[in-house]
Amino acid sequence: MTTYLIKEWKEQSRGKGLWLGLGIIILVSIFILIEARNYPTEQSFEVFLVSLYEMNVYLLPLLCLFLASFTIMQEKELKTLMILMTKKESYRSFLLKKSVAVHGVMLALFVGWYFLLAIPMKFLLPFETSSFLTFLVSVIIFIVIFNQVGVFLGSICSSRMQVVGACVFVWFLFVFLADLVYLYFLPAVTLDNVLIFSILFFLHPLHAIRIYLENSIGIFSLEYMSRLMEKMIWLSPVMFVMLNIIIWTIVSFELAVRLKRKGVRA
């Protein structure tokens, strides 16, 4: 496992994509922090964390999808995957180790950056440790889910052009298209069918992570809700997030293993 982690770090650190993505995250985070100084003192730190989350919604999924899928594609192009297969290592074992290595590298860099950002946060804003840790958990969940979807895309695609198209489509689907579909069906939601709508709505990881973050840091309360909203949020936000982690990571991994032949030329 350590070999995979070291290899992944060397490959990712040599590429420009990881550093460019991290640089954008750092730059935008600093601008948001400077802007947050002008927020009203009450709950300014929590509003700042939600603003960081909004930034992550647009940047992190695309970055994770591209980096994770391209690292699998590189193994195919350099024939290292074929060499590993001839050494009697199963594709499932390879993909599991590769997934853990990708998660490890991405989490170390991005969570590390947010720990560094916590230093100026403590001086400029009314810092709350519990809220900050909740935000870090949301970032970790973000990265793990979209890394795993990226690994799936890299596994089933057979060329870099296919990977680029698939990543852009999946990013657009999660960030824009899905919400347009939810808005289209929203007027038809009633007490009788709200459970079905709720299941589909909260199986979207961006929705589940958002309600988890906002509820945990006190921006969104589950008290005094309408009857429709009570039926809509029928599980705790933590459970919605747990379901998303389990479903998206396991389904993406299993599909990547079972559909590998479409992408593996070896």
Side-chain angles (χ1 to χ4, degrees), residues 29 70 106 121 132 169-170 182 194 232 258:
S29 300
F70 269 79
M106 294 285 285
M121 284 182 203
F132 176 69
F169 173 76
V170 171
Y182 290 127
V194 68
M232 177 80 181
R258 294 174 191 279

Side-chain angles (χ1 to χ4, degrees), residues 21-82:
L22 182 61
I24 293 172
I25 296 280
I26 291 173
L27 197 61
V28 179
S29 300
I30 292 172
F31 276 118
I32 293 175
L33 178 61
I34 294 171
E35 183 65 24
R37 296 170 62 194
N38 300 320
Y39 296 164
T41 305
E42 187 179 354
Q43 289 196 323
S44 60
F45 183 64
E46 286 74 15
V47 174
F48 165 69
L49 293 179
V50 172
S51 299
L52 281 184
Y53 171 83
E54 294 288 352
M55 172 195 69
N56 287 334
V57 164
Y58 293 101
L59 297 178
L60 266 187
L62 192 60
L63 187 62
C64 292
L65 290 171
F66 270 118
L67 291 177
S69 58
F70 269 79
T71 193
I72 301 295
M73 185 56 60
Q74 184 170 286
E75 297 288 357
K76 297 178 187 178
E77 292 176 342
L78 297 178
K79 306 297 182 186
T80 49
L81 176 58
M82 183 179 67

Side-chain angles (χ1 to χ4, degrees), residues 97-112:
K97 293 174 183 174
K98 193 71 177 173
S99 299
V100 173
V102 172
H103 295 326
V105 171
M106 294 285 285
L107 288 175
L109 282 176
F110 286 92
V111 173

Side-chain angles (χ1 to χ4, degrees), residues 93-145:
S93 171
F94 158 76
L95 212 58
L96 179 61
K97 293 174 183 174
K98 193 71 177 173
S99 299
V100 173
V102 172
H103 295 326
V105 171
M106 294 285 285
L107 288 175
L109 282 176
F110 286 92
V111 173
W113 158 242
Y114 283 119
F115 269 115
L116 283 177
L117 188 64
I119 298 171
M121 284 182 203
K122 296 194 76 163
F123 291 102
L124 299 175
L125 298 171
F127 188 84
E128 288 285 342
T129 304
S130 60
S131 297
F132 176 69
L133 292 178
T134 301
F135 170 76
L136 278 187
V137 171
S138 73
V139 171
I140 292 169
I141 296 167
F142 234 119
I143 291 174
V144 169
I145 289 178

Side-chain angles (χ1 to χ4, degrees), residues 15-256:
K16 296 176 182 175
L18 179 64
W19 302 115
L20 183 63
L22 182 61
I24 293 172
I25 296 280
I26 291 173
L27 197 61
V28 179
S29 300
I30 292 172
F31 276 118
I32 293 175
L33 178 61
I34 294 171
E35 183 65 24
R37 296 170 62 194
N38 300 320
Y39 296 164
T41 305
E42 187 179 354
Q43 289 196 323
S44 60
F45 183 64
E46 286 74 15
V47 174
F48 165 69
L49 293 179
V50 172
S51 299
L52 281 184
Y53 171 83
E54 294 288 352
M55 172 195 69
N56 287 334
V57 164
Y58 293 101
L59 297 178
L60 266 187
L62 192 60
L63 187 62
C64 292
L65 290 171
F66 270 118
L67 291 177
S69 58
F70 269 79
T71 193
I72 301 295
M73 185 56 60
Q74 184 170 286
E75 297 288 357
K76 297 178 187 178
E77 292 176 342
L78 297 178
K79 306 297 182 186
T80 49
L81 176 58
M82 183 179 67
I83 295 170
L84 287 171
M85 294 298 102
T86 57
K87 290 183 178 177
K88 296 182 180 180
E89 177 158 12
S90 69
Y91 190 70
R92 179 181 293 274
S93 171
F94 158 76
L95 212 58
L96 179 61
K97 293 174 183 174
K98 193 71 177 173
S99 299
V100 173
V102 172
H103 295 326
V105 171
M106 294 285 285
L107 288 175
L109 282 176
F110 286 92
V111 173
W113 158 242
Y114 283 119
F115 269 115
L116 283 177
L117 188 64
I119 298 171
M121 284 182 203
K122 296 194 76 163
F123 291 102
L124 299 175
L125 298 171
F127 188 84
E128 288 285 342
T129 304
S130 60
S131 297
F132 176 69
L133 292 178
T134 301
F135 170 76
L136 278 187
V137 171
S138 73
V139 171
I140 292 169
I141 296 167
F142 234 119
I143 291 174
V144 169
I145 289 178
F146 285 98
N147 271 349
Q148 205 59 56
V149 176
V151 168
F152 161 67
L153 295 179
S155 183
I156 65 168
C157 291
S158 56
S159 69
R160 286 185 179 254
M161 283 304 294
Q162 283 187 15
V163 167
V164 170
C167 288
V168 172
F169 173 76
V170 171
W171 174 78
F172 183 76
L173 175 68
F174 275 109
V175 177
F176 296 105
L177 190 58
D179 280 343
L180 292 177
V181 175
Y182 290 127
L183 284 174
Y184 177 80
F185 286 104
L186 189 59
V189 175
T190 65
L191 282 174
D192 296 327
N193 59 23
V194 68
L195 181 61
I196 298 172
F197 184 80
S198 170
I199 292 170
L200 297 174
F201 186 84
F202 286 116
L203 278 181
H204 190 310
L206 301 185
H207 297 160
I209 298 172
R210 173 188 284 276
I211 195 173
Y212 161 74
L213 175 65
E214 293 186 353
N215 177 251
S216 299
I217 65 177
I219 296 288
F220 177 76
S221 173
L222 297 181
E223 296 179 355
Y224 309 114
M225 292 191 298
S226 67
R227 193 177 166 200
L228 185 66
M229 281 301 292
E230 284 180 352
K231 285 206 167 189
M232 177 80 181
I233 308 175
W234 53 283
L235 270 180
S236 70
V238 174
M239 289 304 298
F240 278 129
V241 166
M242 292 297 294
L243 281 176
N244 270 270
I245 296 171
I246 294 169
I247 291 172
W248 283 105
T249 54
I250 292 177
V251 169
S252 297
F253 181 81
E254 284 301 322
L255 285 177

